[in-house]
Amino acid sequence: MKKALIICAAGMSSSMMAKKTTDYFKEQHKGIEMDAITATEGEDAIRAGEFDLYLVSPQTSMYLDGFQKIGQEVGKPVVSIPFNAYIPIPMGIEKMAKLVEESI
């Protein structure tokens, strides 16, 4: 089972995206689960390396460079989520899933 983590400002929208995308992966019979945390927890989460992929939400893009540097140190990919993959409607969920599959 692969795991991806969304790093977001407050964690509410990212939690919804993580749940909806995980449900989408289950429907597609793909072994990927997603979770979400706040940006204040991002650095520690990446350093722990418990996830296969770390995704930085559009509203926390100011942390992307720092998070990517930590990701390189621990050998984990850290990618930016485009706005169109961060919308909790079918099109956005599919774009998020595609981003995860391409990046994991």
Side-chain angles (χ1 to χ4, degrees):
M1 177 74 63
K2 297 280 185 175
K3 298 188 319 181
L5 182 67
I6 299 173
I7 301 171
C8 178
M12 290 182 287
S13 57
S14 58
S15 293
M16 182 183 350
M17 287 301 297
K19 181 181 181 341
K20 288 181 177 275
T21 308
T22 296
D23 291 346
Y24 175 85
F25 283 133
K26 285 180 184 174
E27 291 169 8
Q28 302 296 314
H29 305 286
K30 297 186 178 176
I32 303 173
E33 291 182 350
M34 296 187 65
D35 203 350
I37 60 165
T38 65
T40 57
E41 302 169 290
E43 184 175 331
D44 290 339
I46 297 168
R47 286 194 193 284
E50 295 176 3
F51 289 80
D52 301 291
L53 173 65
Y54 298 88
L55 301 125
V56 179
S57 70
Q59 61 268 48
T60 56
S61 61
M62 70 286 264
Y63 300 109
L64 180 62
D65 290 342
F67 287 159
Q68 284 180 326
K69 183 177 178 185
I70 297 165
Q72 287 175 347
E73 291 172 8
V74 298
K76 298 288 183 169
V78 177
V79 300
S80 177
I81 303 170
F83 284 106
N84 66 356
Y86 204 66
I87 306 166
I89 60 173
M91 177 208 62
I93 301 302
E94 289 174 17
K95 288 185 183 295
M96 173 70 83
K98 183 178 179 185
L99 174 65
V100 170
E101 287 184 283
E102 290 173 350
S103 303
I104 208 158

